[in-house]
Amino acid sequence: MSGPEVHHLFHHPIADHSFSADRQTLAVARENNVDLFHKTGSEYKLEDELTGHDKTVTGVDIAPNSGKIVTCSQDRNAYVWEPSPQGWKPTLVLLRINRAATCVRWAPSETKFAVGSGARLIPVCYFEEEDNWWVSKHIKKPIRSTVTCVAWHPNSVLLAAGSTDGHARVLSSFVKNVDERPEPSAWGERLPFNTVCGEYLNSTAGWVHSVAFSPSGNALAFASHDSTLTVVYPSGPEQAPRAILSVSTQVLPFMSLIWSSEAEIVAAGYNCEAFRLQGDESGWQLAGSLESKSRPGLTDQREESALNMFRQMDLKGKSGTDDTKLKTVHQNTINTIRSFEESGSGVTKISSTGVDGRVVIWSL
Amino acid sequence: MANINWRTINIDALDPDSPANFDVSSLTPAVAPVSTADVQNNAQQIRQLLRGGDNEGALQGALENPPYGADDKGKETHLATVTEILQSIRQSDMSPMLSRIYKAPGGTEALDVLMKYIYKGMAQAAPASNTRNLTPQATGFSQIHSRGGGEGGGQAMSVLLSWHEKLVEIAGPGSIVRVMSDRRTV
């Protein structure tokens, strides 16, 4: 297993990041703008800047097939950016919310996207050909607080949302004439817009940071601020779920999670490192960190020689080891992890970004 | 009309969907109410275990069913029980006992409860020892409290601090975060 690929882009927090389908372009949310980096050789070079938002950008997502970029910001707006010969062409999407937008994700069908917001609702936006305009439709009930994260089911109709009221919810975002009628699944059979297919609360009701459907869409995982990760297996529409498994971890809370396969989740957050969790319907447990303990950087630190110590004292006037550097690759909280490379059996590489301005690509 | 200061109008009160207008109890996990008498009975049983020398059984019994649904008096009673158990366990027994509880089924939950009582105990230990000359401050945080005051408070605090240290070694910082985010208080 090769070591992680680290790209230190700048000294600003990265709220969200997204790679294009060919992994050559990387979009990162940096303050009020979205920076586009292009891969040249082994590095990512700043290529373009998407300016338009006038408050912090909170979410960015590149649609893998169409290449359109959607961004959302605390200025309560979303933009859809389309490539054109003159550069990126923005289209404003009126979300009709009175609080900040917190996150945005394209549906797998790429005809819709969902935005989380502080206005206790989820605008689901789709393109109206007739009016040449993005329309937003609100999922309102029964959300009681800020929506911190959204995630799509593979059928592009079901949407999972985590909220600061401690609930992870599965909701329907079916839009007539845009979506095809979905196959009945364990989550529900008839799914008109705003159907609540499930509402889950863990034992402490800590607010939810991240939600995700398993690759098949038949299980839901969410991570909350009480350092737990909960996996829900539904049994059928209108029935209590088959199993709700909660893992109370010893580490700090997770900010982001992805399923690498049906039996493995990778989650990362305030511990500045990514962890694997493994399990199935009978139980889940923390399986360890992604950081390999024999990384070159680490051995350097361990081989603290006497020469080094005196050199440190001479040059910097300090003794002992440098304790301002964490032993993890990321030097601050990890905000987002995403799938970078997939094979038939699941995700094989993931990318992570965090408050330290680094983008790291990990092999699983 | 001209005299209305628009900036001070509480717009949330006028919005039927606003959080000011719904029952917040729906956001917290349901807890069953527990009467103070039940808590006291439970405390009697635990004390008997303690007298019989079964410290670990007493601790487990006390952490198994924390009275989340009890009123303030019931919660105080249970805190006193837990504190008594913690003080009667020797320092060298702490770590082995905690790891045994951690490995038992439902162990993480029990240790989270213990962490809650340690923090609650720390919040209480000081005022009990120094009740004179205290005026509550506007901030709700008194400097005199945190100085620890008399010897008794310091003693209780050092017991709690050594438990805290041992507990973090086993349950990790995750346990502390759970105490802060948990809506079920002890």
Side-chain angles (χ1 to χ4, degrees):
Chain A
M1 197 175 90
S2 60
E5 196 183 310
V6 186
H7 303 280
H8 196 169
L9 301 180
F10 41 71
H11 291 277
H12 277 287
I14 299 176
D16 198 2
H17 77 281
S18 183
F19 279 95
S20 61
D22 59 4
R23 306 296 182 231
Q24 294 301 304
T25 306
L26 162 66
V28 296
R30 174 190 187 177
E31 296 188 330
N32 296 356
N33 301 327
V34 171
D35 286 359
L36 292 180
F37 289 83
H38 193 80
K39 185 154 189 172
T40 40
S42 63
E43 280 179 77
Y44 284 93
K45 287 260 159 57
L46 184 64
E47 188 187 54
D48 206 348
E49 221 171 20
L50 306 181
T51 53
H53 288 293
D54 56 12
K55 291 249 166 33
T56 307
V57 177
T58 50
V60 55
D61 200 17
I62 304 181
N65 298 322
S66 64
K68 287 178 191 169
I69 302 177
V70 62
T71 59
C72 73
S73 148
Q74 291 174 1
D75 65 9
R76 312 188 307 270
N77 289 324
Y79 282 101
V80 175
W81 306 79
E82 284 166 78
S84 74
Q86 291 83 39
W88 291 91
K89 189 170 76 66
T91 311
L92 177 69
V93 183
L94 284 180
L95 299 174
R96 298 184 289 123
I97 53 177
N98 56 8
R99 299 284 193 279
T102 53
C103 55
V104 64
R105 285 295 177 265
W106 282 106
S109 66
E110 299 181 15
T111 51
K112 297 189 293 186
F113 61 87
V115 186
S117 83
R120 300 187 304 282
L121 46 84
I122 307 170
V124 175
C125 307
Y126 57 97
F127 194 71
E128 194 80 73
E129 290 288 348
E130 277 175 31
D131 307 323
N132 191 22
W133 187 252
W134 285 90
V135 180
S136 93
K137 215 172 163 185
H138 288 174
I139 297 182
K140 268 190 180 158
K141 281 185 176 138
I143 301 161
R144 292 298 179 79
S145 190
T146 301
V147 175
T148 52
C149 50
V150 289
W152 287 94
H153 188 278
N155 71 8
S156 293
V157 168
L158 290 169
L159 180 70
S163 160
T164 50
D165 59 15
H167 288 78
R169 297 186 175 87
V170 177
L171 305 148
S172 164
S173 69
F174 181 79
V175 179
K176 240 197 223 164
N177 305 332
V178 174
D179 291 309
E180 286 170 28
R181 190 170 294 280
E183 298 271 314
S185 71
W187 299 103
E189 277 154 13
R190 279 194 68 251
L191 299 165
F193 190 78
N194 208 159
T195 310
V196 183
C197 305
E199 254 194 305
Y200 309 101
L201 186 69
N202 68 5
S203 58
T204 66
W207 63 92
V208 180
H209 284 306
S210 184
V211 283
F213 281 105
S214 73
S216 68
N218 291 330
L220 177 80
F222 64 95
S224 31
H225 196 68
D226 55 2
S227 289
T228 63
L229 191 136
T230 308
V231 186
V232 180
Y233 291 94
S235 54
E238 315 272 321
Q239 286 169 28
R242 275 203 309 258
I244 299 187
L245 305 156
S246 206
V247 190
S248 301
T249 63
Q250 296 172 304
V251 297
L252 293 173
F254 298 127
M255 285 297 282
S256 186
L257 68 94
I258 56 166
W259 292 72
S260 59
S261 68
E262 287 292 327
E264 190 177 80
I265 293 174
V266 179
Y270 289 103
N271 257 77
C272 313
E273 55 184 321
F275 291 91
R276 269 175 219 272
L277 291 103
Q278 285 163 343
D280 52 32
E281 267 175 60
S282 54
W284 279 81
Q285 64 276 328
L286 199 66
S289 169
L290 277 193
E291 307 258 346
S292 55
K293 297 298 173 200
S294 57
R295 225 159 13 84
L298 267 183
T299 42
D300 286 356
Q301 265 186 352
R302 260 189 226 131
E303 286 166 14
E304 195 69 43
S305 63
L307 173 71
N308 240 327
M309 193 183 81
F310 285 115
R311 186 182 286 155
Q312 286 270 327
M313 284 166 81
D314 181 36
L315 288 174
K316 296 179 182 163
K318 64 180 174 185
S319 58
T321 51
D322 189 358
D323 57 0
T324 56
K325 199 165 183 297
L326 296 178
K327 286 186 176 164
T328 51
V329 174
H330 274 285
Q331 293 296 304
N332 209 327
T333 304
I334 299 175
N335 276 333
T336 320
I337 52 177
R338 280 175 177 262
S339 157
F340 185 78
E341 194 179 282
E342 286 168 35
S343 70
S345 58
V347 178
T348 51
K349 279 187 182 179
I350 60 161
S351 58
S352 64
T353 53
V355 181
D356 59 352
R358 283 180 176 81
V359 178
V360 182
I361 297 160
W362 308 82
S363 317
L364 294 182
Chain B
M1 285 296 274
N3 293 330
I4 296 173
N5 184 356
W6 300 103
R7 287 182 182 279
T8 59
I9 293 176
N10 181 6
I11 52 161
D12 280 340
L14 303 171
D15 176 5
D17 293 332
S18 99
N21 292 324
F22 64 72
D23 185 14
V24 244
S25 66
S26 67
L27 303 184
T28 53
V31 288
V34 184
S35 74
T36 311
D38 285 348
V39 178
Q40 277 162 349
N41 280 340
N42 194 13
Q44 286 296 335
Q45 285 171 9
I46 290 165
R47 286 222 172 74
Q48 245 160 29
L49 282 175
L50 206 55
R51 269 198 293 277
D54 185 4
N55 290 345
E56 191 170 337
L59 184 60
Q60 263 172 340
L63 300 181
E64 221 159 57
N65 288 310
Y68 290 133
D71 56 1
D72 285 350
K73 190 152 178 290
K75 287 183 175 182
E76 295 273 307
T77 314
H78 203 74
L79 172 66
T81 317
V82 175
T83 319
E84 196 181 323
I85 301 168
L86 294 184
Q87 283 171 347
S88 57
I89 295 170
R90 272 185 295 141
Q91 192 145 7
S92 56
D93 294 341
M94 290 176 183
S95 291
M97 196 178 282
L98 287 174
S99 9
R100 277 197 297 277
I101 295 178
Y102 185 67
K103 282 182 193 120
T108 41
E109 178 76 30
L111 292 191
D112 291 346
V113 174
L114 177 59
M115 188 62 97
K116 286 182 196 172
Y117 278 107
I118 289 174
Y119 276 111
K120 174 137 183 175
M122 288 183 187
Q124 304 253 311
S129 68
N130 189 1
T131 42
R132 299 170 289 125
N133 306 331
L134 284 187
T135 43
Q137 294 187 350
T139 52
F141 177 78
S142 163
Q143 285 295 313
I144 310 167
H145 280 222
S146 59
R147 296 271 181 258
E151 289 298 303
Q155 180 91 47
M157 193 63 87
S158 80
V159 171
L160 291 174
L161 279 172
S162 48
W163 272 103
H164 185 267
E165 185 194 347
K166 302 281 193 295
L167 188 51
V168 171
E169 269 169 29
I170 288 166
S175 171
I176 300 174
V177 180
R178 274 191 288 283
V179 172
M180 291 195 285
S181 64
D182 203 333
R183 315 225 184 186
R184 300 165 303 173
T185 54
V186 294

